[in-house]
C-alpha cells in the first residue's frame, strides 16, 4: 500500500505510471497536501488511519529551488525553498514521533555539506534535515537523510542549471535505476546520513582551488 502526496494533482504521465503500479497489485492512493502546513500533514495521517493499513514508512522528497547569489536573495526566496524541505520534514517528524515506523527517509542534497554556489537556501534546508535525521537517530527513532548527488534528486533539482553546475564541479550524473538500487541498499543499513553521489574528486578539487585563486587575486 502506497500513499502519494503532493501540492498538485498528478500529471497524465504520472497517472499512467500509477496505473501501471496498480496493475501489478499495489494499492496506490493519491492525496493532495502541502507538507509545509502542519494541519495538512495531520489530515493526510488521519486519512491513512481511516482508510489504509498502519503507516510503516515515510519518504520525504519534497523540494523546490530558487537559485541566486546571496546579495540577490531575500527572506521570501529563502522561505520558498525552506518550506517544503525543512518545514515539511519537521512536520512529519512531529506528527509521527509515536508511530511504530520501520523507516523515515529524507531526500537531502550534497549541497548541504559540500556547498553549492547560488544555492544558499537549498544548502540550509538540506543541512537542517541532515541534522534532524541525526537527532531522530540519537533518540532511537528511524531516520535516514540521503544527500543525493546529480541524478538522485528529483523535480526542479535536476534542471539544466543544476546539471551544468554539477558537471563543472566534477559531480557526475547517475541513472534513476542506480538511485533506486542505492535506496534499496541504504534502507537495510543503520546510518542517519549518507551521501550518494558519483564524483571525480580530482576535478572537484581543481574547481575549488581555481575559485580560491580567483577570489584571492
Amino acid at each position: 500500500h502506497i500513499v502519494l502526496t503532493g501540492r498538485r494533482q498528478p500529471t497524465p504521465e504520472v497517472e499512467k505510471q500509477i496505473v501501471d503500479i496498480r496493475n501489478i497489485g499495489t494499492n496506490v492512493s493519491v492525496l493532495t497536501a502541502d507538507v509545509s502546513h502542519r494541519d495538512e500533514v495531520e489530515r493526510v495521517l488521519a486519512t491513512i488511519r481511516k482508510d489504509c493499513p498502519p503507516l510503516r514508512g515515510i519518504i520525504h522528497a519534497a523540494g523546490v529551488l530558487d537559485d541566486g547569489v546571496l546579495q540577490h536573495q531575500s527572506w521570501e526566496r529563502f522561505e520558498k525553498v525552506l518550506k517544503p524541505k525543512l518545514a515539511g520534514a519537521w512536520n512529519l517528524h512531529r506528527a509521527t514521533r509515536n508511530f511504530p515506523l520501520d523507516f523515515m527517509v529524507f531526500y537531502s542534497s550534497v549541497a548541504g555539506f559540500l556547498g553549492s554556489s547560488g544555492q544558499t537556501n537549498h544548502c540550509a534546508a538540506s543541512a537542517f534535515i541532515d541534522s534532524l535525521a541525526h537527532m531522530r537517530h540519537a533518540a532511537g527513532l528511524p531516520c535516514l537523510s540521503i544527500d543525493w548527488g546529480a541524478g538522485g534528486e528529483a523535480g526542479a533539482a535536476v534542471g539544466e542549471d543544476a546539471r551544468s553546475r554539477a558537471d563543472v564541479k566534477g559531480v557526475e550524473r547517475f541513472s534513476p535505476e542506480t538511485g533506486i538500487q542505492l535506496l534499496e541498499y541504504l534502507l537495510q543499513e543503520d546510518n542517519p546520513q549518507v551521501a550518494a553521489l558519483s564524483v571525480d574528486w580530482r576535478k572537484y578539487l581543481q574547481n575549488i582551488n581555481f575559485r580560491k585563486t580567483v577570489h584571492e587575486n
Side-chain angles (χ1 to χ4, degrees):
H1 296 262
I2 300 174
V3 177
L4 301 176
T5 66
R7 292 177 296 168
R8 294 175 293 273
Q9 289 293 326
T11 63
E13 180 183 359
V14 173
E15 282 282 9
K16 182 180 181 302
Q17 294 175 327
I18 291 172
V19 170
D20 290 341
I21 295 172
R22 285 172 175 156
N23 287 340
I24 61 174
T26 302
N27 186 306
V28 182
S29 302
V30 179
L31 301 175
T32 303
D34 185 339
V35 293
S36 69
H37 298 292
R38 185 175 178 180
D39 59 334
E40 297 193 30
V41 171
E42 295 287 358
R43 174 173 56 81
V44 168
L45 294 174
T47 301
I48 291 173
R49 282 193 294 267
K50 177 176 175 291
D51 299 332
C52 304
L55 180 64
R56 300 312 301 265
I58 295 172
I59 296 179
H60 173 47
V64 298
L65 295 181
D66 190 356
D67 296 352
V69 293
L70 188 59
Q71 59 263 42
H72 293 160
Q73 285 287 350
S74 63
W75 174 244
E76 288 74 23
R77 295 182 68 180
F78 253 78
E79 192 173 36
K80 176 182 175 182
V81 175
L82 296 180
K83 273 187 172 181
K85 193 177 287 287
L86 186 156
W90 182 252
N91 288 337
L92 289 168
H93 158 67
R94 290 289 302 272
T96 63
R97 281 178 298 180
N98 297 320
F99 284 46
L101 298 178
D102 292 328
F103 62 88
M104 177 178 280
V105 178
F106 296 150
Y107 273 30
S108 185
S109 168
V110 293
F113 73 94
L114 289 182
S116 181
S117 58
Q119 292 190 310
T120 49
N121 43 21
H122 184 50
C123 294
S126 298
F128 176 88
I129 61 175
D130 290 342
S131 298
L132 178 56
H134 282 275
M135 186 187 81
R136 284 181 56 89
H137 194 263
L141 300 173
C143 200
L144 164 65
S145 187
I146 304 177
D147 298 319
W148 290 110
E153 297 181 90
V158 291
E160 287 303 320
D161 289 344
R163 286 172 176 162
S164 297
R165 282 194 298 268
D167 290 341
V168 169
K169 292 180 179 179
V171 179
E172 302 166 353
R173 281 166 269 179
F174 53 83
S175 68
E177 291 76 16
T178 298
I180 293 297
Q181 291 172 359
L182 288 169
L183 175 62
E184 183 178 6
Y185 170 77
L186 293 173
L187 282 172
Q188 301 175 59
E189 300 294 301
D190 184 30
N191 297 300
Q193 179 184 2
V194 174
L197 73 160
S198 176
V199 58
D200 181 339
W201 287 112
R202 180 177 298 178
K203 187 175 181 180
Y204 182 86
L205 293 173
Q206 286 174 344
N207 178 66
I208 291 178
N209 290 332
F210 172 77
R211 289 170 60 195
K212 182 174 183 292
T213 301
V214 170
H215 177 71
E216 289 177 345
N217 290 341

